[in-house]
Amino acid sequence: MTMNPWITHLMKRLFPPQVLLPDIIGIDIGLTVAAIAAIVFLTKTKRWGWLWREWITTVDHKKIGIMYLLAALVMLFRGGVDALMIRTQLIAPHQHFMSAQQYDEVFTTHGTVMIFFMAMPMVFALFNVAVPLMIGARDVAFPRLNAISFWLFAFGAILLNISFSIGGSPDAGWMSYPPYSELMFNPGVGENYFLLSLQVAGIGTIATGINFLVTVLRLRAPGMTLTRIPIFAWSALITSSLILFAFPPLTVALGLTMLDRIFGASFFTLGHQGMPMMYANLFWIFGHPEVYILIMPAFGVFSEVVPTFSKKPLFGYEAMVVSLLAISILSYGTWVHHFFEMGAGPGVNSFFGLSTMLIAIPTGVKMFNWIFTMWGGRIRVSVPMLWQLGFIPTFVVGGATGVMLAAVPADYQYHNSYFLIAHFHNVILGGTVFGVLSGMYYWWPKMFGWKLNERQGVWAFVFFVVGFWLTFMPQYFLGFQGMTRRMSTYPPGLGWTALNFWSTIGAYVMGVGFLIMVYNIIWSRIHPDWDTTGDPWDGRTMEWSLPSPAPEYNFARIPHVHSRDEWWEMKQEGRTDEVKISEETVHAIHMPRNTPMPVLLALAFFVGSIGMVFEWFWLAILGGLGVVAALTYGSFADYSEKEISRDTILHTEAQLGRVES
Amino acid sequence: MDIQRHLPPPEPTGHGDEVEVRILTPHIAQPHFPAMQVTGYGLSLAITLIAFAMVAYHWMGLNTLVTVLIVMAFIQGALQLGIFMHLREAKGTLWHLPVLALALFIGLGIVGFSMWIMLFKSGVS
């Protein structure tokens, strides 16, 4: 059979041998079937219009938050399956469940997905859901920009996720260090996917940073001074400023690598006086603040959860704020600890080793503040509080091993061993993920109007935490015994076999924990435990003064805030009727209109990125023109707002029983 | 089209920074051609291209080059802040000062530290 040579070439480029493995083809078929099923379902139930009007074009921060959360859970599944594949490969010596090449692709995807497409959107989900409600705002400062951020993230995630079935996955690790990520050693399109997907998602992330910075600084309710906002809003503020300073270096590093790969520049190449280590330097100027971008929202969640479930005001509010600020400043002076071995010399290494150790101090302050908040409180061990209780020992171990890694001479031994792997999973999984899961269970009723089943939540927690410790504790010892990261297989007789076996068993236990959590969500959706009060946890901050879920305009009347735990004070002083409105006090509310521009803009970015990935420049230019067109449309379209009338508000609030007669 | 008409007047926030709320209101109804913005855009592109050419075509020695690049970076920064980042439009607030100082501190820190860190290469290779 003869084929048009052009088509043969195209097919080879789209489907190189690395994507034609039987398991990948199986997944492709499964995904196609699932997509067809979804399309049929949406068409049969006539939900396309609903999907478009209510979700795709929405600029409502609550809905955007829910979309971030669902996307993050899907990505947690994807990254989790990758993790299980890695652990399956390592369960015993000389396993060949995957080839070395596929193993590289899987750990690269695992890291990239978990950091950029699971943890970040999970954090943004909680920001979107909670921050405007906490500070008494009707939406974020720039609602349309918020939708743009979400869709850029979503299309960035799609871009990375299609790489395994079209064109080939990236395989240079989630840091993608040159020279291995350069064209000379990595000629496929995988690395292009990595660069472009992070670039697209990164634009959205920077926009989110700007958005929440302005939201917290500008849209606070009257009387809500900066010393009265909940710590979670503080953490959103500080995280946003970190994003603003940290992401541009990543943009630069990715951009220069793209110039190297696609346009023949030599910023980081081995030849032509390229400087590969400069990439490591730029990447970690971003990368180190990034880990604090991930952990500070978790700190914020716990600072809300602990007081609520201890029925006590947060111990040391000022110390919490100061330590957050100290962490944010210090986090900019520590990045070299990711590459002490580069050989920058004792001066540089001592400076950055010391600055790294210093960060442990403000973090320790926060630990003690949470413990002192619980001390003498009436503690209820609900699921959000359970995750917090699981977090404290996990994060302390992670932090202590971090200080061990900061000791420069010792780091020459630990570097890139399984000790490091165990350390950063301890802080990112045991810190960030425990934090966002705690926040998810905590704010779930506020998002959907029903609570997640408590008993199933406890089981999910138990499996997840037991699995967590079982997975990562052996890895510290594997690190001491010399096992390095990214080994695709290992020989017997090194004393690694038993430790690896238990680590893999732990990973599967964690997987069961995740499945229970999914079951928990689906079960609770079918048998909803409606939250009719809007305040299921006896909360302290303003979001619990609203019905669950909050109406589109959040607050029928913007509250006047007099103290830190305003809603708690109102309940104590019997002033809860203050949130009700009456015929006289209600006004029409202006809200931003829905717009298709964000999703079209992101789609144009996606099309252009595909063009860049495969170096089809006509497509890249087409995508670029699409971006310009979407921006022009967005600038000149009549962006006037819609008005929610007095009658609508009165009707909605009366149904919720919030109108004074 | 007068967009400001559609927006409600800024409500008092009670934080003592009511003046600034006005800045969030978009100033879209500008009758004249945005000459300054277009010039600024052209200038910033020109500075970028010159900087690129200076490095690509080895116009000068390393030390002079680094000095000139840093000076040009400052000019570029001033252009962006002054023309596109609404720095000159702010009235009645001192908020900008600490933020700018922080940005300068971090920006200079990143450049300075990177130079310090990467200097090892001249000693090794």
Side-chain angles (χ1 to χ4, degrees), chain A residues 116 120 198-199 201-210 239-257 268 278-279 281-287 289-290 293 332, chain B residues 85 103 106-107 110:
Chain A
F116 293 100
M120 294 295 285
L198 293 195
Q199 203 72 287
I203 299 170
T205 305
I206 293 176
T208 305
I210 295 170
T239 306
S240 301
S241 63
L242 275 180
I243 287 174
L244 218 52
F245 286 115
F247 268 74
L250 176 71
T251 307
V252 171
L254 297 175
L256 295 180
T257 313
F268 306 128
M278 192 61 194
Y279 177 93
N281 183 52
L282 283 172
F283 185 87
W284 288 112
I285 290 174
F286 145 79
E290 165 71 7
I293 292 170
Y332 275 99
Chain B
M85 308 296 274
I106 289 179
I110 286 175

Side-chain angles (χ1 to χ4, degrees), chain A residues 142 214 217-218 220-226 245 249 267 274-275 277-278 281 285 329 332 335-336 339 342-344 347-348 351-352 590 636 638 640-641, chain B residues 1 3 6-8 11-15 17 20-21 24 28 52 58 93 95 99 102-107 109-110 113-118 120-121 124:
Chain A
F142 309 114
V214 182
L217 285 178
R218 284 274 157 263
R220 283 168 284 133
M224 188 167 258
T225 55
L226 275 179
F245 286 115
F267 288 102
M275 211 181 200
M277 285 318 291
M278 192 61 194
N281 183 52
I285 290 174
I329 294 289
Y332 275 99
W335 74 87
V336 176
F339 48 95
M342 185 174 83
V348 172
F351 177 91
F352 284 95
H590 290 258
F636 291 103
D638 187 3
S640 60
E641 308 170 356
Chain B
M1 147 182 64
I3 286 211
H6 295 286
L7 296 169
E11 288 170 31
T13 58
H15 323 133
D17 53 6
E20 264 245 88
V21 176
L24 287 180
I28 293 170
F52 189 79
H58 308 283
T93 178
W95 271 86
V99 177
L102 181 68
L104 200 67
F105 174 73
I106 289 179
I110 286 175
F113 271 118
S114 294
M115 288 170 78
W116 184 38
I117 294 160
M118 299 308 292
F120 85 100
K121 193 158 187 280
V124 175

Side-chain angles (χ1 to χ4, degrees), chain A residues 10 40 182 199 245 358 375 424:
Chain A
L10 180 72
V40 168
E182 291 285 356
Q199 203 72 287
F245 286 115
L358 274 180
W375 191 345
F424 74 67

Side-chain angles (χ1 to χ4, degrees), chain A residues 406-422:
Chain A
V408 182
D411 188 63
Y412 271 72
Q413 305 301 317
Y414 305 138
H415 182 77
N416 272 358
S417 71
Y418 260 79
F419 185 85
L420 170 79
I421 304 299

